[in-house]
Amino acid sequence: MQINNAVVAQAEADAPKSGYDTTNLYTLAVNKDGKPDLVTVDMNDLDSSSQELLADRINQTPERTGYQGYLLGDGIPPNGEAFGHGASFPTNSIEGDYFLRTDFMPNRLFRQDGSRWVKQEDNVRMTLTNTDSRATQKGTFVNNTTSNIIGGETVTERQPLSKALKPKADN
Amino acid sequence: MQHFYDGQIRRYITQMVRLLSNFSYADSKGNLTQIPVMYGDITRQVGAIIKDNSENKIPSAPRIGVYVTGMEMDRTRTADATYTGKVHLRERTYDENSNEYLNTQGSNYTVERLMPTPYMLNINCDIWSTNTEQKLQILEQILMLFNPSLEIQTTDNYVDWTSLSVVNLENINFSSRSIPMGVDTEIDVATLGFQTPIFISPPAKVKKLGVITNVIMSIFDETKGTIDLGQSMPELNAYDDSWGNSIKNKDADGRIHLQVTTASGYDAIVTNTIVQLGKNGISGEINWREVLESEPGEYAAGLSKIYLNRIDLAAPVVGTFALNNLDETQIIVNWDEDTIPTNTVLGLPNSPQKGTIDAIIDPTRVNPVNLKVAGTRILLLGDIGATANTDGADAWKDSSGNDTLVASENDIIEWSGTQWQIVFDSSTKNNPATDVTYTTNLTSGIQYKWDGTEWTLSFEGEYRKGSWRLVL
């Protein structure tokens, strides 16, 4: 098993998750004219008392990632911007804030555009290793420990297809 | 050819091992045991070590062995072998001290990738089992994955356009044993035959970001029927204060002959060491970061350069600049003196030879009493003295009280210690080809150019888009 584990570890180092890693790449936020969208103190009437605002911020946060491709969504805002997370949106937010809704499956990243929260991306990148927590569509049928209470009876959600809802002994 | 190895086939094999790992079987008591997966074509030395150097030790089961059975070129996927795919990337700044990426723009790159060569990789997976139930458990878990295929990735690098592939289950050999079974009780091996389309890539080229920031187009002139490069090409490097000689959109006849498009679309207004951006005749309102953030390269204060092109200078005027932190509509430039036109040395035969002046004054308004130091030079903004005038202004008389100075507007005069002498006579310097003269006012540090008609700023002024550029 040690050899097996070492090979898997090497494979995981080569490709930790499905899709492509763009966390090290920079996305330049642009305005409607295609120019860099600046939010420096010189350019805007900024309220420096706002807790969400970074004093050294120069660029507005990007409205979308600048890179396109297969399976890029990782739930992390472009440029590594700070973001909150939770099951409901925060009440105090300003334009450019990011928020990861963890009640979505897969988790969904939103950005505040000044008036509403706009979907950015879904966290669709995941490990390629056959772990017990892998959550692909097929994986959610296999890696499933959920049980439901149906009609007062606890029913295990994952059941072999041949045994699912099979009639019980009816004497 | 230089040695090159990136372990590309090796990565496909490790991913295949990963794909088949973490499966388990349940024994009769319900205990789960993970099935080890190993590369089948191991070296003899490693094989001997695994067997504890004993010929009597047989491999344990269950076990999965993965090995390559063949590889052939996939001609159906071949494409233009000379095609080079480019991808332009901007990295985030990396902080070497904290070993983390920051949320600001860092280095910019262009990565060139040559068309990779397609192959089909055939891989077998041998499933060793000690009994049929064990084999069925393993197969059921694996076989349900291939519907119709399974994706694998060798890397998650964004620029690696070959990292994604699929694994197709092509054939299944259910058992290696013959039926009816003979006297041997060999380990039963079920074999799954996989095929995966792969690419073998040459190394990529990682270069400094190279994108077009200026586009200068010669527009077809229907009146002439040709694109007159002889007329338009010199204008690519042109700058002149007058609209007619600058990089322009319209010629004197009103027709568009040249169209300049730049990434920023801004003009540059140069005033001594300050450069501001301008558009539609308005300057001082545009933040330089708009340009610095979008240009290829990474701005570095004191290292980034600005180039100014003028029609009357063979080489551009160059300076390193830094953003004015107090007013980001300005950059402060440290001009490279070697790129600024050299001052023309002036002087009378018995006076100092130099190319600078000390002041520019209107002789009818200023009394030069404080300027009467030997060697002091003045550029005149008006005429002073006249041959017909027997008693001129006292301020401009020589030390003996005589009216020896008769000078005109645009002349440069020098105090010799006893009298004012003309060292630059503008009335005799009226040939724009041979009489071009440069001089710097030491008081302001501004250099001026005599073009045969008038004094103008030598390189300061408004540079229209296309006549200036940045190198970050």
Side-chain angles (χ1 to χ4, degrees), chain B residues 170 245 311:
Chain B
E170 295 294 330
N245 289 331
I311 195 169

Coordinates of all heavy atoms in Angstrom, one line a residue, chain B residues 170 245 311:
Chain B
E170 N -12.0 -0.2 -23.3 CA -12.1 -0.8 -24.6 C -12.4 -2.3 -24.6 O -13.2 -2.8 -25.4 CB -10.8 -0.6 -25.4 CG -10.5 0.9 -25.7 CD -11.5 1.5 -26.6 OE1 -12.1 0.8 -27.5 OE2 -11.7 2.7 -26.5
N245 N 1.8 68.8 -39.0 CA 3.0 67.9 -39.0 C 2.9 66.8 -38.0 O 3.9 66.0 -37.9 CB 4.3 68.7 -38.8 CG 4.5 69.6 -40.0 OD1 4.2 69.2 -41.1 ND2 5.1 70.7 -39.8
I311 N 9.5 64.3 -34.8 CA 9.9 64.3 -36.2 C 11.3 64.9 -36.4 O 12.0 64.5 -37.3 CB 8.9 65.0 -37.1 CG1 9.1 64.6 -38.6 CG2 8.9 66.5 -36.9 CD1 8.0 65.0 -39.5

